[in-house]
């Protein structure tokens, strides 16, 4: 295969030039980082699981009319995506207090929030991705007012979709982060969900036991991260071909 041009390398993924203009190949690495890369490890199989899980979530979103960058999976570690201009904000939706919100505001982890709360963090590793207000976003030109309205509405639709999906397999969607990008169809600009959706960027708690099935397992040294992600994939019926196959109900005529 011809050598591809690397466009960008992040902590958990690499982007390569795609086969056609306006496309990219997104490669999922096995690297896990936390606390702005202060903590780092390689976790066998994480990239494969996240590639499959992100495909699963993004395909589902596309099918209900929530636009995403996902085009198709290429192989175990790579997917074809639409190239977007990433808005430099991490959009976080919280259903239950946890993580930095609990720490910042002194709200006990696990407290149900009265409604989903949408937050924006500036994507800037040097500053440690600080929380910013909508006023900051507008004043510093990271996005416009219409973009903000569209981002909130996209984020809440993703929240409804993912919460329902997870509830169906006995998992509570505590919070998650998405990234959003711009694409142009001629003069018409619209916002679509980009980056990835995986247990790296969500908090997922088992409804019965409260067991954590997301990257907090790595952040907080709670056990084997690949086992946790495999459990999420198994419950959703999404597993790499070489992995154990779950039996699905078959239709009987
Ligand atoms: P937080 O409680 O640490 O602010 O995280 C909120 C959600 O965002 C949680 O589901 C994990 C996710 N997240 C990322 O995807 N990337 C990050 O860099 C951080 C800090 C959080």
């Amino acid at each position: 295969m011809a050598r591809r041009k690397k466009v960008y390398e992040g902590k958990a993924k690499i982007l390569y030039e795609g086969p056609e203009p306006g496309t990219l190949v997104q490669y999922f690495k096995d690297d896990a980082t936390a606390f702005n890369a202060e903590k780092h490890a390689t976790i066998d199989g994480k990239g494969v699981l996240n590639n499959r899980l992100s495909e699963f979530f993004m395909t589902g979103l596309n099918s209900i009319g929530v636009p995403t960058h996902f085009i198709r999976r290429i192989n175990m570690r790579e997917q074809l995506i639409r190239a977007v201009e990433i808005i430099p904000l991490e959009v976080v939706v919280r259903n239950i207090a946890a993580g930095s919100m609990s720490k910042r505001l002194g709200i006990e982890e696990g407290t149900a929030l009265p409604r989903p709360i949408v937050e924006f963090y500036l994507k800037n590793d040097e500053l440690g991705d600080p929380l910013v207000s909508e006023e900051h976003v507008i004043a510093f030109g990271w996005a416009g007012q219409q973009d903000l309205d569209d981002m909130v509405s996209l984020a809440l639709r993703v929240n409804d979709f993912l919460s329902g999906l997870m509830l169906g397999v006995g998992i509570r969607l505590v919070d998650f982060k998405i990234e959003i990008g711009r694409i142009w169809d001629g003069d018409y600009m619209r916002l679509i969900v980009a980056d990835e959706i995986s247990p790296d960027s969500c908090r997922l708690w088992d409804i019965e036991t409260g067991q954590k099935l997301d990257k907090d397992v790595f952040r907080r040294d709670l056990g084997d991260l690949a086992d946790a992600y495999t459990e999420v994939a198994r419950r959703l019926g999404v597993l790499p071909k070489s992995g154990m196959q779950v039996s699905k109900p078959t239709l009987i005529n």
Side-chain angles (χ1 to χ4, degrees):
M1 193 163 118
R3 274 180 76 83
R4 289 173 307 185
K5 190 168 165 228
K6 196 191 277 187
V7 178
Y8 176 81
E9 178 156 6
K11 289 179 282 235
K13 297 186 295 296
I14 305 174
L15 294 177
Y16 296 98
E17 261 179 8
E20 292 139 40
T23 66
L24 294 170
V25 172
Q26 178 162 258
Y27 175 98
F28 287 76
K29 302 196 275 189
D30 278 343
D31 298 62
T33 65
F35 315 118
N36 207 2
E38 261 175 49
K39 181 170 178 172
H40 176 263
T42 305
I43 292 161
D44 261 359
K46 180 176 87 86
V48 173
L49 286 160
N50 281 355
N51 186 26
R52 294 299 293 240
L53 284 164
S54 203
E55 170 194 16
F56 181 72
F57 298 132
M58 298 266 185
T59 305
L61 287 167
N62 284 339
S63 76
I64 60 158
V66 178
T68 81
H69 72 167
F70 182 82
I71 302 173
R72 65 182 165 81
R73 191 168 56 80
I74 300 169
N75 57 41
M76 298 281 272
R77 287 190 182 272
E78 295 178 325
Q79 47 183 246
L80 186 68
I81 58 169
R82 294 189 67 163
V84 301
E85 183 188 300
I86 286 281
I87 294 179
L89 297 169
E90 300 201 335
V91 184
V92 169
V93 182
R94 300 179 188 272
N95 298 303
I96 294 170
S100 70
M101 173 189 250
S102 290
K103 207 167 165 193
R104 185 179 304 111
L105 303 177
I107 299 170
E108 195 186 342
E109 280 212 326
T111 309
L113 300 171
R115 63 186 180 91
I117 293 179
V118 181
E119 297 173 336
F120 297 96
Y121 292 81
L122 180 64
K123 267 173 72 71
N124 184 321
D125 282 345
E126 274 173 39
L127 299 175
D129 297 345
L131 177 67
V132 293
S133 73
E134 298 199 6
E135 294 271 325
H136 292 138
V137 172
I138 303 284
F140 298 114
W142 298 314
Q145 186 59 57
Q146 184 62 53
D147 298 328
L148 274 176
D149 295 346
D150 292 348
M151 284 195 285
V152 169
S153 124
L154 267 179
L156 291 175
R157 291 180 75 193
V158 173
N159 186 45
D160 284 345
F161 175 74
L162 287 183
S163 295
L165 202 60
M166 292 300 177
L167 192 63
V169 295
I171 294 173
R172 188 156 279 138
L173 178 66
V174 172
D175 56 32
F176 65 93
K177 183 264 306 189
I178 53 170
E179 295 186 24
I180 292 175
R182 299 177 194 282
I183 53 164
W184 278 270
D185 292 323
D187 283 344
Y188 178 68
M189 188 280 292
R190 62 196 179 105
L191 300 183
I192 68 175
V193 178
D195 190 52
E196 73 176 286
I197 301 177
S198 74
D200 267 13
S201 51
C202 301
R203 279 199 176 87
L204 305 169
W205 295 353
D206 181 86
I207 285 181
E208 298 288 324
T209 65
Q211 187 192 353
K212 294 182 184 9
L213 299 169
D214 56 67
K215 206 166 102 177
D216 273 349
V217 171
F218 170 71
R219 294 191 191 95
R220 305 180 186 190
D221 296 319
L222 300 175
D224 188 303
L225 192 71
D227 284 353
Y229 289 20
T230 302
E231 174 64 11
V232 175
R234 191 191 60 75
R235 289 198 199 180
L236 291 167
V238 184
L239 272 179
K241 281 217 170 60
S242 60
M244 187 182 49
Q245 291 293 314
V246 268
S247 55
K248 291 225 183 97
T250 33
L251 201 65
I252 298 166
N253 288 314

